[in-house]
Amino acid sequence: MRRCVLAAAAACLLLLAACAQGETKAWEGELLAMDTIMKLTLYGENAPQAGAAAMDRIRELEGLLSVTGEGSDVYRANHTGSAQLSPDAAALLDRALALCRETDGALDVTVYPVVRAWGFTTGEYRVPDDGELEALLERVDYRQATLEGDRVTLPEGVELDLGGVAKGYTGDQLMALLEGEGVASAIVELGGNVQALGAKPDGSPWRVALQAPEGGYAGVLEIVDRAVVTSGGYQRYFEQDGEIYWHIIDPAQGRPARSGLQSVTIVAEEGTLCDGLSTALFVMGRERALDFWRTREDFECVLISEDNTVAVTEGLEESFSLYGDWEGRPLEIIRR
Ligand code: ADP
Ligand code: MG
């Protein structure tokens, strides 16, 4: 029998003690967008007006970037094979294609036909057979998508999905918007993505909790002006004949990536980078992921392996700590 399990809609990262702000009053907004719950917490005089502008911006980006929304840029590209993109969609696709190249295809923005075949787009889950996957994989290759200026061109059968990076881009756009509106202190939760502008109003860092694979929290990160994005096999999955299948696909195989990792959390200034790399490093697995990290200066990460060991790159040594039941478990600091 097939059993479908949907992880709770709750973000994989939750804010701890977000309300302990003493005197400073927060403006809080919540909306449903991009298939997830989004929460904005803003401080300062301009917060209400900035918050309203931020909500509008989220809806605008959802309209442009959704893969299913008729009339979105991505929908038009997928249904016509060639489309002129809005500045947002063009900027995001450009950044996403660069990340596909840099991760050697561990992130692949054309994996959509495979994701759909497994039912992750609709919730009607199934396990495609080898022949079906082999045929679908011919349509998966980010190098077949060409972006010239603001025009994207896709060969027959190739489809784009920016869903793996859209929330990260949205976070970046919100940070820029809020800063422009004169907000100095804010934190946004876009599903499992968390992104902070500045520090808390009292000057202390934000505390962001990392979800443990079995529920509860595994650790806490202290951040200022950073994005934190987690990709975990436990976030969206189904079970069939005793096997678990999750929504992060290895584009080389067309199957859920089984790399020995349960979750990857990326911490960086740029949300788009965090979003793309959390998916890509999950596909790579621990050793490849750490080799990749050693070649870069622009992010840090927390990897939770299947045996529940936690590896943290050295840039997070001071800001990460294990939490609750996870305190006292093995924690490895990875050096360059
Ligand atoms: P979520 O969107 O659930 O927060 P991710 O950011 O990790 O999680 O993105 C996963 C989504 O991206 C999947 O639901 C799927 O649509 C798509 N996806 C899965 N595997 C890949 C991949 N290797 N490269 C690009 N997109 C992927
Ligand atoms: Mg992602």
Side-chain angles (χ1 to χ4, degrees):
M1 267 310 288
R2 180 181 305 173
R3 193 157 62 89
C4 300
V5 187
L6 255 186
C12 61
L13 293 149
L14 294 171
L15 303 172
L16 291 177
C19 331
Q21 292 298 332
E23 302 291 300
T24 320
K25 208 167 162 298
W27 179 93
E28 290 175 296
E30 196 171 307
L31 77 163
L32 210 63
M34 301 185 182
D35 280 330
T36 191
I37 297 172
M38 301 195 165
K39 291 183 189 163
L40 316 181
T41 307
L42 279 52
Y43 295 91
E45 275 172 31
N46 285 342
Q49 139 199 353
M55 308 266 259
D56 287 346
R57 183 76 172 120
I58 291 172
R59 291 201 188 85
E60 178 186 28
L61 289 172
E62 180 181 37
L64 296 171
L65 304 175
S66 158
V67 67
T68 50
E70 284 183 39
S72 82
D73 285 12
V74 174
Y75 187 95
R76 278 192 301 113
N78 288 345
H79 287 79
T80 60
S82 180
Q84 193 173 343
L85 302 176
S86 62
D88 282 310
L92 175 54
L93 179 57
D94 188 45
R95 186 73 182 106
L97 287 172
L99 291 172
C100 294
R101 286 191 293 273
E102 289 163 20
T103 61
D104 202 15
L107 181 77
D108 192 319
V109 289
T110 63
V111 79
Y112 188 59
V114 172
V115 172
R116 185 172 47 209
W118 286 87
F120 287 113
T121 53
T122 56
E124 286 167 34
Y125 300 121
R126 55 191 279 276
V127 179
D129 65 35
D130 292 352
E132 182 181 353
L133 286 178
E134 211 173 297
L136 288 172
L137 279 177
E138 302 206 341
R139 299 161 54 185
V140 175
D141 182 357
Y142 64 92
R143 289 165 296 197
Q144 297 195 52
T146 47
L147 180 67
E148 282 167 318
D150 57 4
R151 176 160 290 278
V152 65
T153 308
L154 306 169
E156 180 76 37
V158 175
E159 291 176 82
L160 286 179
D161 178 11
L162 298 177
V165 286
K167 282 177 285 169
Y169 179 80
T170 302
D172 291 331
Q173 291 300 305
L174 293 181
M175 296 301 112
L177 180 151
L178 295 175
E179 208 173 0
E181 295 276 345
V183 172
S185 174
I187 191 149
V188 301
E189 294 175 76
L190 315 175
N193 295 22
V194 175
Q195 197 158 348
L197 181 64
K200 288 202 231 171
D202 66 4
S204 64
W206 306 97
R207 286 164 59 77
V208 178
L210 265 64
Q211 200 183 317
E214 74 276 10
Y217 302 126
V220 178
L221 271 165
E222 295 195 330
I223 57 160
V224 173
D225 272 324
R226 287 286 180 280
V228 178
V229 178
T230 298
S231 285
Y234 53 84
Q235 287 168 333
R236 195 142 35 102
Y237 62 93
F238 68 98
E239 197 180 324
Q240 183 173 307
D241 302 327
E243 282 268 351
I244 302 255
Y245 301 93
W246 50 66
H247 71 305
I248 303 167
I249 302 291
D250 179 350
Q253 310 288 331
R255 299 175 181 283
R258 284 187 215 287
S259 62
L261 292 175
Q262 297 197 81
S263 78
V264 172
T265 299
I266 308 284
V267 183
E269 233 176 281
E270 188 198 353
T272 312
L273 178 76
C274 289
D275 210 354
L277 290 189
S278 66
T279 305
L281 270 61
F282 189 98
V283 170
M284 290 179 189
R286 187 190 137 114
E287 296 319 312
R288 243 182 99 197
L290 293 175
D291 285 347
F292 180 79
W293 169 75
R294 289 192 174 92
T295 68
R296 317 259 308 198
E297 301 283 336
D298 53 356
F299 76 94
E300 302 290 336
C301 59
V302 181
L303 310 180
I304 302 184
S305 296
E306 267 167 6
D307 63 2
N308 284 339
T309 56
V310 183
V312 176
T313 54
E314 62 185 8
L316 298 177
E317 192 169 5
E318 303 299 321
S319 53
F320 177 82
S321 45
L322 292 167
Y323 184 78
D325 290 350
W326 284 65
E327 276 178 66
R329 290 199 187 178
L331 174 66
E332 192 184 348
I333 307 294
I334 307 297
R335 311 276 169 200
R336 285 203 183 272

